PDB file of all heavy atoms in Angstrom:
ATOM      1  N   LEU L  76     101.719  99.423 120.706  1.00 97.00           N
ATOM      2  CA  LEU L  76     101.649  98.019 120.747  1.00 97.00           C
ATOM      3  C   LEU L  76     100.847  97.518 121.913  1.00 97.00           C
ATOM      4  O   LEU L  76     100.133  96.427 121.763  1.00 97.00           O
ATOM      5  CB  LEU L  76     103.077  97.323 120.632  1.00 97.00           C
ATOM      6  CG  LEU L  76     103.892  97.531 119.313  1.00 97.00           C
ATOM      7  CD1 LEU L  76     105.214  96.939 119.493  1.00 97.00           C
ATOM      8  CD2 LEU L  76     103.089  96.811 118.168  1.00 97.00           C
ATOM      9  N   THR L  77     101.031  98.023 123.091  1.00 97.00           N
ATOM     10  CA  THR L  77     100.398  97.718 124.372  1.00 97.00           C
ATOM     11  C   THR L  77      98.914  97.871 124.128  1.00 97.00           C
ATOM     12  O   THR L  77      98.041  97.116 124.493  1.00 97.00           O
ATOM     13  CB  THR L  77     100.969  98.473 125.556  1.00 97.00           C
ATOM     14  OG1 THR L  77     102.270  98.631 125.435  1.00 97.00           O
ATOM     15  CG2 THR L  77     100.572  97.740 126.904  1.00 97.00           C
ATOM     16  N   TYR L  78      98.532  99.099 123.677  1.00 98.00           N
ATOM     17  CA  TYR L  78      97.136  99.392 123.614  1.00 98.00           C
ATOM     18  C   TYR L  78      96.505  98.539 122.360  1.00 98.00           C
ATOM     19  O   TYR L  78      95.390  98.164 122.638  1.00 98.00           O
ATOM     20  CB  TYR L  78      96.980 100.953 123.201  1.00 98.00           C
ATOM     21  CG  TYR L  78      96.965 101.895 124.291  1.00 98.00           C
ATOM     22  CD1 TYR L  78      98.027 102.537 124.674  1.00 98.00           C
ATOM     23  CD2 TYR L  78      95.801 101.959 125.106  1.00 98.00           C
ATOM     24  CE1 TYR L  78      98.095 103.455 125.788  1.00 98.00           C
ATOM     25  CE2 TYR L  78      95.860 102.784 126.169  1.00 98.00           C
ATOM     26  CZ  TYR L  78      96.889 103.531 126.594  1.00 98.00           C
ATOM     27  OH  TYR L  78      96.848 104.369 127.616  1.00 98.00           O
ATOM     28  N   THR L  79      97.325  98.275 121.451  1.00 97.00           N
ATOM     29  CA  THR L  79      96.764  97.515 120.358  1.00 97.00           C
ATOM     30  C   THR L  79      96.443  96.060 120.776  1.00 97.00           C
ATOM     31  O   THR L  79      95.268  95.537 120.543  1.00 97.00           O
ATOM     32  CB  THR L  79      97.886  97.339 119.182  1.00 97.00           C
ATOM     33  OG1 THR L  79      98.097  98.674 118.770  1.00 97.00           O
ATOM     34  CG2 THR L  79      97.369  96.460 117.994  1.00 97.00           C
ATOM     35  N   ALA L  80      97.307  95.451 121.634  1.00 97.00           N
ATOM     36  CA  ALA L  80      97.152  94.123 122.217  1.00 97.00           C
ATOM     37  C   ALA L  80      95.860  94.112 123.106  1.00 97.00           C
ATOM     38  O   ALA L  80      95.022  93.295 122.814  1.00 97.00           O
ATOM     39  CB  ALA L  80      98.404  93.736 123.008  1.00 97.00           C
ATOM     40  N   ILE L  81      95.679  95.018 124.073  1.00 97.00           N
ATOM     41  CA  ILE L  81      94.665  95.049 124.992  1.00 97.00           C
ATOM     42  C   ILE L  81      93.246  95.414 124.231  1.00 97.00           C
ATOM     43  O   ILE L  81      92.182  94.799 124.551  1.00 97.00           O
ATOM     44  CB  ILE L  81      94.908  95.960 126.171  1.00 97.00           C
ATOM     45  CG1 ILE L  81      93.877  95.716 127.405  1.00 97.00           C
ATOM     46  CG2 ILE L  81      94.908  97.460 125.850  1.00 97.00           C
ATOM     47  CD1 ILE L  81      94.148  94.415 128.105  1.00 97.00           C
ATOM     48  N   ILE L  82      93.187  96.403 123.309  1.00 98.00           N
ATOM     49  CA  ILE L  82      92.101  96.599 122.523  1.00 98.00           C
ATOM     50  C   ILE L  82      91.568  95.385 121.772  1.00 98.00           C
ATOM     51  O   ILE L  82      90.473  95.111 121.806  1.00 98.00           O
ATOM     52  CB  ILE L  82      92.310  97.928 121.707  1.00 98.00           C
ATOM     53  CG1 ILE L  82      92.385  99.188 122.588  1.00 98.00           C
ATOM     54  CG2 ILE L  82      91.150  98.042 120.684  1.00 98.00           C
ATOM     55  CD1 ILE L  82      92.825 100.353 121.885  1.00 98.00           C
ATOM     56  N   CYS L  83      92.565  94.783 121.072  1.00 97.00           N
ATOM     57  CA  CYS L  83      92.216  93.561 120.299  1.00 97.00           C
ATOM     58  C   CYS L  83      91.587  92.518 121.218  1.00 97.00           C
ATOM     59  O   CYS L  83      90.720  91.820 120.815  1.00 97.00           O
ATOM     60  CB  CYS L  83      93.442  93.051 119.527  1.00 97.00           C
ATOM     61  SG  CYS L  83      94.001  94.054 118.150  1.00 97.00           S
ATOM     62  N   GLY L  84      92.187  92.436 122.358  1.00 97.00           N
ATOM     63  CA  GLY L  84      91.671  91.294 123.382  1.00 97.00           C
ATOM     64  C   GLY L  84      90.222  91.643 123.735  1.00 97.00           C
ATOM     65  O   GLY L  84      89.440  90.705 123.763  1.00 97.00           O
ATOM     66  N   PHE L  85      89.957  92.934 123.954  1.00 97.00           N
ATOM     67  CA  PHE L  85      88.569  93.268 124.483  1.00 97.00           C
ATOM     68  C   PHE L  85      87.651  93.006 123.208  1.00 97.00           C
ATOM     69  O   PHE L  85      86.485  92.510 123.379  1.00 97.00           O
ATOM     70  CB  PHE L  85      88.587  94.684 124.935  1.00 97.00           C
ATOM     71  CG  PHE L  85      88.954  94.883 126.404  1.00 97.00           C
ATOM     72  CD1 PHE L  85      89.811  95.816 126.721  1.00 97.00           C
ATOM     73  CD2 PHE L  85      88.323  94.090 127.303  1.00 97.00           C
ATOM     74  CE1 PHE L  85      90.160  95.970 128.182  1.00 97.00           C
ATOM     75  CE2 PHE L  85      88.595  94.231 128.722  1.00 97.00           C
ATOM     76  CZ  PHE L  85      89.586  95.213 129.084  1.00 97.00           C
ATOM     77  N   CYS L  86      88.109  93.386 122.041  1.00 97.00           N
ATOM     78  CA  CYS L  86      87.196  93.211 120.906  1.00 97.00           C
ATOM     79  C   CYS L  86      86.933  91.756 120.599  1.00 97.00           C
ATOM     80  O   CYS L  86      85.782  91.419 120.306  1.00 97.00           O
ATOM     81  CB  CYS L  86      87.809  93.865 119.581  1.00 97.00           C
ATOM     82  SG  CYS L  86      87.932  95.714 119.710  1.00 97.00           S
ATOM     83  N   LEU L  87      87.922  90.890 120.748  1.00 94.00           N
ATOM     84  CA  LEU L  87      87.698  89.523 120.471  1.00 94.00           C
ATOM     85  C   LEU L  87      86.768  88.810 121.517  1.00 94.00           C
ATOM     86  O   LEU L  87      86.090  87.854 121.112  1.00 94.00           O
ATOM     87  CB  LEU L  87      89.049  88.769 120.581  1.00 94.00           C
ATOM     88  CG  LEU L  87      89.932  88.927 119.309  1.00 94.00           C
ATOM     89  CD1 LEU L  87      91.365  88.396 119.678  1.00 94.00           C
ATOM     90  CD2 LEU L  87      89.290  88.138 118.135  1.00 94.00           C
TER      91      LEU L  87
END
Side-chain angles (χ1 to χ4, degrees):
L76 291 174
T77 322
Y78 276 102
T79 300
I81 195 79
I82 288 170
C83 286
F85 276 130
C86 291
L87 280 169

